[in-house]
Amino acid sequence: EIVVTQSPVTLSVSPGERVTLSCRASQSVSSNLAWYQQKPGQAPRLLIYGASTRATGIPARFSGSGSGTEFTLTITSLQSEDFAVYYCQQYNKWPPATFGQGTKVEIK
Amino acid sequence: QLQLQESGPRLVKPSENLSLTCSVSRRSLSPGNFYWGWVRQSPGQGLEWIATIDDYGSTYYNPSLQSRVAISADTSNNTFSLRLTSVTAVDTAVYYCARHGGSVRGVLAHWGQGLLVTVS
């Protein structure tokens, strides 16, 4: 099973700042990595797939990059609605699909 | 707009079996090359993929749960279901049903709102 590790666990930022979240896979997943956003009490929402392709309706301030084992999600100019938990997920070798443990982006 | 809705018991006793159903609106489960799955999230924890079924009835399971899980679909009623046997407290979680991406099968593109199931 491919293990996916996210860092940091928590990120404290101010609105308007640029945020970079990291995701590392235990072995290469090529570009088969997705990012999700989850707000309290809500289901996750797909943000990015194929490491860098935004899902339908996702604002351009969200961008993904990386391949192989190292990936990043960048949010430029953080908005109030962006405070949430972000998960990455590999799907290069599924089953099983595996998720990272999440990074919480909180207000500083 | 595709909508998914989980239903089932909110409280289950230890050692009992849990059965959940996901109702799909707008698009039927008739063959169309889609994958339908279940994901759970224990309180305050991360996401765990459980199982997936495709429109042709092929099933895929998380090896960690495979011995206790079965996924099935009822195309006539536009539903798919999850059965988890011999539950314990560690199975307490929010259970989500989801549809995988149409062209990118590995991602979960559409999610239900989730159903909190407590084992106690």
Side-chain angles (χ1 to χ4, degrees), chain B residues 26-73:
Chain B
R26 190 186 73 83
R27 183 183 174 92
S28 74
L29 292 184
S30 58
N33 220 24
F34 288 107
Y35 286 34
W36 310 86
W38 288 93
V39 175
R40 71 180 183 180
Q41 185 172 35
S42 300
Q45 301 301 310
L47 301 162
E48 180 180 34
W49 171 74
I50 303 171
T52 289
I53 187 167
D54 70 19
D55 278 345
Y56 297 99
S58 295
T59 56
Y60 310 84
Y61 294 105
N62 189 324
S64 68
L65 294 166
Q66 186 166 6
S67 64
R68 298 195 294 129
V69 171
I71 189 171
S72 60

Side-chain angles (χ1 to χ4, degrees), chain A residues 36 38 42-43 87 89 91 95-96, chain B residues 41 49 96 106-108 111-112:
Chain A
Y36 300 82
Q38 186 179 33
Q42 296 184 18
Y87 295 94
Q89 176 229 331
Y91 54 95
Chain B
Q41 185 172 35
W49 171 74
Y96 296 99
V107 303
L108 296 137
W111 296 66

Side-chain angles (χ1 to χ4, degrees), chain A residues 52-82:
Chain A
S52 61
T53 302
R54 281 189 300 276
T56 302
I58 302 303
R61 65 180 181 272
F62 292 92
S63 64
S65 64
S67 66
T69 62
E70 301 283 343
F71 301 87
T72 59
L73 174 70
T74 300
I75 312 171
T76 58
S77 188
L78 199 71
Q79 305 296 301
S80 58
E81 62 266 30
D82 300 334

Side-chain angles (χ1 to χ4, degrees), chain B residues 82-110:
Chain B
L82 180 75
R83 180 177 171 86
L84 180 64
T85 61
S86 304
V87 299
T88 68
V90 298
D91 295 311
T92 293
V94 175
Y95 287 77
Y96 296 99
C97 62
R99 197 196 81 181
H100 289 247
S103 58
V104 184
R105 302 274 175 79
V107 303
L108 296 137
H110 303 276

